């Protein structure tokens, strides 16, 4: 094997278990297996490298580099990538497996590939006003992709192809469709980039779901029936009609302890006929599944069939906050949670709200609830004691009138006001309105209302 520049990194060990690497852009560790310096007399090293590649036993030395944030990694030329790694990443895998298992693609947040096809298409989206919109564009199929298509409860990635925004990535059989609003020429070389902020957020939420699901099952035998990774929060549907506050607190405490324990998260592949498949959790495979089964394992906690993207260590989750529970469908319970950066954003929003309330209520955060209760009580008293009397029309002729306030008072006073104004009217639920023929008697009606209020206040 020959390289075309001075320093390169080899990212492959022949014979290593497929899926044994947790690939970048997943944060955590990516294993880089050989760093060599090539120089003109270095043909012996090249030969030794070839022999090592053919003998996995010689390739047991490794070091790790922390990639919690994107790093720039030297990359082998395309020809070397293909020759060294095609046998590790067979094209027969489903597109989900390809998107998450190919070492040569996922060691960076961008890579070069080829456009296979580009066809006119439409995409239904939700506009800024909440209404459905239909966008015209193109479905682009690439030779390979690092953009994850939606599936397994996880939304799809976003990114760019040659700086053209990818608005949706969907799975169609064993390929991924990338929706763009600009066409791309089939056969052309393109650069694909991943929206790292969105990808890492989904990794944190998805790994958080695996952890909560495992702990809820272990502590209380609560089985997960489905889950949803939402834009602002995520929900796990548990097969139980209700949960106690103590159960929720125990789950939250346990998952955060495991995050502090820095437990590794590993990815591997199993063949369909592997006996170990029977011991792996999962809700079944899609009808059009092809190739090996991808298993995501949290060391000592859980092993689960999954096609999604995950962190490589629980410490990358930072923290999990369970916001509470909601009534679910079919007598089930939804457990609402946030993981990682979403917790920080939630705290930032909550702190901003707290500061605003402190300024408005003129009291400390610890007194906010009591201050709001007092305001509510004052409002109820005002609503109970306040009468609204409006008139429109000629002061000496006919016109219209409206009386609004506490229903019992309006029901009593409405007909009497109409009588004073020599008119007619009707009303319900705290409102009485009608026509008056003698608007000149408006002050008499007003005096009637004032006397009533005074009398009611004296009684109280």
């Amino acid at each position: 094997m020959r390289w075309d520049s001075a320093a390169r990194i080899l990212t492959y060990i022949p014979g290593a278990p497929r899926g044994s690497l947790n690939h970048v852009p997943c944060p955590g560790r990516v294993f880089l297996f050989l760093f060599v310096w090539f120089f003109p007399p270095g043909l012996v090293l090249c030969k030794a490298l070839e022999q090592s590649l053919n003998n996995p036993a010689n390739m047991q030395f490794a070091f790790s580099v922390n990639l919690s944030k994107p790093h720039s990694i030297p990359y082998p030329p395309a020809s070397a990538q293909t020759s060294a790694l095609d046998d590790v990443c067979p094209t027969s895998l489903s597109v989900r497996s390809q998107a998450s298992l190919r070492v040569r693609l996922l060691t960076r947040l961008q890579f070069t590939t080829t456009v296979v096809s580009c066809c006119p298409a439409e995409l239904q989206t939700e506009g800024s006003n909440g209404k459905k919109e239909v966008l015209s564009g193109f479905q682009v199929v690439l030779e390979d992709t690092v953009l994850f298509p939606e599936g397994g409860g996880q939304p799809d990635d976003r990114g760019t192809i040659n700086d053209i925004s990818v608005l949706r990535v969907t799975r169609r059989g064993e390929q991924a469709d990338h929706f763009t609003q600009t066409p791309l020429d089939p056969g052309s070389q393109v650069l694909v980039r991943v929206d790292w902020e969105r990808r890492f957020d989904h990794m944190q939420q998805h790994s958080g779901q695996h952890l909560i699901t495992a702990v809820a099952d272990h502590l209380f035998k609560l089985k997960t029936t489905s889950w949803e990774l939402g834009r602002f929060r995520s929900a796990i549907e548990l097969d139980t009609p209700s949960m106690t506050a103590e159960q929720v607190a125990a789950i939250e405490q346990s998952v955060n302890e495991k995050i502090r324990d820095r437990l590794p998260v590993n990815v591997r592949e199993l063949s369909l006929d592997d006996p170990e498949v029977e011991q792996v959790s999962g809700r079944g495979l899609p009808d059009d599944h092809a190739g090996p089964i991808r298993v995501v394992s949290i060391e000592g906690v859980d092993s689960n069939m999954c096609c999604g993207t995950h962190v490589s260590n629980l410490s990358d989750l930072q923290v999990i906050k369970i916001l509470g529970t909601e009534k679910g469908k079919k007598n089930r319970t939804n457990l609402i949670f946030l993981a990682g950066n979403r917790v920080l954003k939630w705290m930032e929003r909550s702190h901003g709200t707290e500061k605003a309330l402190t300024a408005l209520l003129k009291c400390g955060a610890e007194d906010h609830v009591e201050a709001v209760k007092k305001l509510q009580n004052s409002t109820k008293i005002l609503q109970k004691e306040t009468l609204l009397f409006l008139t429109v029309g000629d002061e000496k002729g006919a016109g219209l009138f409206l009386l609004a306030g506490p229903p019992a008072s309006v029901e009593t006073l409405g007909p009497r006001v109409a009588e004073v104004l020599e008119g007619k009217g009707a009303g319900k639920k705290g409102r009485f309105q009608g026509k008056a023929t003698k608007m000149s008697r408006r002050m008499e009606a007003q005096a009637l209302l004032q006397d009533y209020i005074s009398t009611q206040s004296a009684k109280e």
Side-chain angles (χ1 to χ4, degrees):
M1 181 177 294
R2 295 287 299 275
W3 304 95
D4 63 351
S5 63
R8 294 293 182 186
I9 291 178
L10 183 67
T11 58
Y12 166 54
I13 293 185
R18 294 175 184 169
S20 61
L21 308 180
N22 252 339
H23 316 306
V24 179
C26 300
R29 294 181 301 277
V30 60
F31 293 97
L32 309 176
F33 293 100
L34 190 60
F35 183 84
V36 289
W37 185 266
F38 291 99
F39 49 94
L43 296 178
V44 175
L45 285 177
C46 292
K47 186 63 177 177
L49 178 58
E50 282 186 333
Q51 293 174 352
S52 296
L53 288 172
N54 292 325
N55 185 1
N58 294 336
M59 299 289 285
Q60 298 304 313
F61 49 98
F63 66 94
S64 65
V65 57
N66 189 299
L67 287 173
S68 295
K69 293 184 177 180
H71 286 62
S72 176
I73 302 175
Y75 211 51
S79 58
Q81 297 168 26
T82 303
S83 61
L85 297 169
D86 274 352
D87 57 338
V88 173
C89 307
T91 56
S92 61
L93 296 183
S94 68
V95 67
R96 291 175 181 169
S97 298
Q98 291 177 32
S100 48
L101 291 178
R102 282 181 179 261
V103 179
R104 67 182 175 91
L105 301 180
L106 292 185
T107 49
R108 300 206 323 178
L109 298 181
Q110 62 182 46
F111 82 109
T112 301
T113 186
T114 303
V115 177
V116 174
S117 64
C118 180
C119 302
E122 291 184 340
L123 175 66
Q124 190 175 76
T125 63
E126 186 174 304
S128 56
N129 57 3
K131 294 183 178 180
K132 297 291 183 180
E133 294 182 359
V134 177
L135 301 179
S136 296
F138 303 87
Q139 291 289 18
V140 178
V141 177
L142 305 174
E143 190 175 88
D144 213 333
T145 187
V146 288
L147 300 181
F148 178 79
E150 58 189 354
Q154 178 177 326
D156 55 333
D157 278 339
R158 292 289 185 271
T160 60
I161 303 175
N162 278 2
D163 294 325
I164 298 169
S165 295
V166 177
L167 304 182
R168 185 69 55 82
V169 187
T170 52
R171 174 177 174 266
R172 181 158 56 93
E174 294 187 12
Q175 69 184 29
D177 289 336
H178 307 72
F179 185 89
T180 67
Q181 289 189 284
T182 303
L184 292 159
D185 295 329
S188 62
Q189 294 286 301
V190 292
L191 182 66
V192 183
R193 288 191 176 96
V194 178
D195 178 342
W196 171 250
E197 183 177 355
R198 178 182 172 93
R199 163 72 71 84
F200 186 51
D201 172 55
H202 290 175
M203 288 160 56
Q204 287 186 317
Q205 309 316 309
H206 204 157
S207 295
Q209 177 266 314
H210 277 225
L211 179 58
I212 294 172
T213 288
V215 169
D217 188 14
H218 174 72
L219 292 181
F220 304 111
K221 305 300 181 186
L222 299 175
K223 302 295 184 183
T224 293
T225 51
S226 67
W227 86 292
E228 178 186 17
L229 199 168
R231 288 180 60 191
F232 303 107
R233 62 179 196 168
S234 298
I236 299 173
E237 185 185 70
L238 297 172
D239 193 12
T240 180
S242 64
M243 293 180 68
T244 66
E246 291 74 19
Q247 286 177 318
V248 172
I251 292 172
E252 182 177 276
Q253 179 180 344
S254 180
V255 297
N256 283 293
E257 285 174 354
K258 288 172 170 49
I259 290 172
R260 291 191 292 273
D261 287 341
R262 298 177 55 82
L263 299 179
V265 181
N266 301 306
V267 179
R268 58 203 171 101
E269 286 183 277
L270 299 176
S271 62
L272 277 171
D273 57 358
D274 192 318
E276 194 175 342
V277 172
E278 300 297 327
Q279 301 169 8
V280 176
S281 302
R283 297 194 298 274
L285 297 170
D287 295 336
D288 58 352
H289 172 80
I293 296 173
R294 185 168 182 265
V295 177
V296 176
S297 300
I298 303 173
E299 189 174 281
V301 176
D302 177 58
S303 285
N304 211 309
M305 288 186 284
C306 185
C307 64
T309 57
H310 291 269
V311 299
S312 61
N313 191 287
L314 289 188
S315 62
D316 292 318
L317 297 183
Q318 301 166 287
V319 65
I320 286 177
K321 177 60 186 174
I322 298 178
L323 300 180
T325 61
E326 295 177 355
K327 187 68 176 177
K329 299 177 181 179
K330 299 180 179 179
N331 206 29
R332 292 169 179 162
T333 298
N334 294 330
L335 191 67
I336 313 301
F337 77 95
L338 306 172
N341 290 337
R342 290 194 182 192
V343 178
L344 301 180
K345 292 178 181 178
W346 172 73
M347 291 179 65
E348 184 178 355
R349 289 194 303 270
S350 298
H351 182 58
T353 302
E354 183 180 285
K355 288 173 64 178
L357 287 173
T358 296
L360 289 170
L361 299 174
K362 309 299 182 184
C363 64
E366 64 278 4
D367 297 322
H368 285 176
V369 173
E370 200 59 39
V372 171
K373 285 182 179 178
K374 288 180 180 179
L375 284 174
Q376 288 178 326
N377 290 334
S378 298
T379 301
K380 289 178 181 178
I381 292 172
L382 285 173
Q383 289 175 340
K384 184 178 180 180
E385 296 180 352
T386 301
L387 284 170
L388 176 66
F389 180 49
L390 299 175
T391 60
V392 178
D394 187 346
E395 289 187 4
K396 296 182 179 180
L400 303 174
F401 71 90
L402 168 68
L403 180 66
S409 299
V410 170
E411 186 177 349
T412 301
L413 293 170
R416 294 174 62 184
V417 169
E419 184 180 348
V420 170
L421 298 176
E422 297 185 19
K424 294 181 180 180
K428 60 181 179 179
K429 295 182 179 180
R431 291 172 62 91
F432 189 98
Q433 59 189 23
K435 294 181 179 180
T437 59
K438 293 284 184 74
M439 294 297 290
S440 57
R441 300 184 64 185
R442 183 180 184 283
M443 297 305 294
E444 293 180 43
Q446 206 167 309
L448 171 67
L449 298 176
Q450 189 62 53
D451 289 344
Y452 177 84
I453 291 174
S454 298
T455 303
Q456 292 299 113
S457 299
K459 288 181 180 179
E460 294 177 358

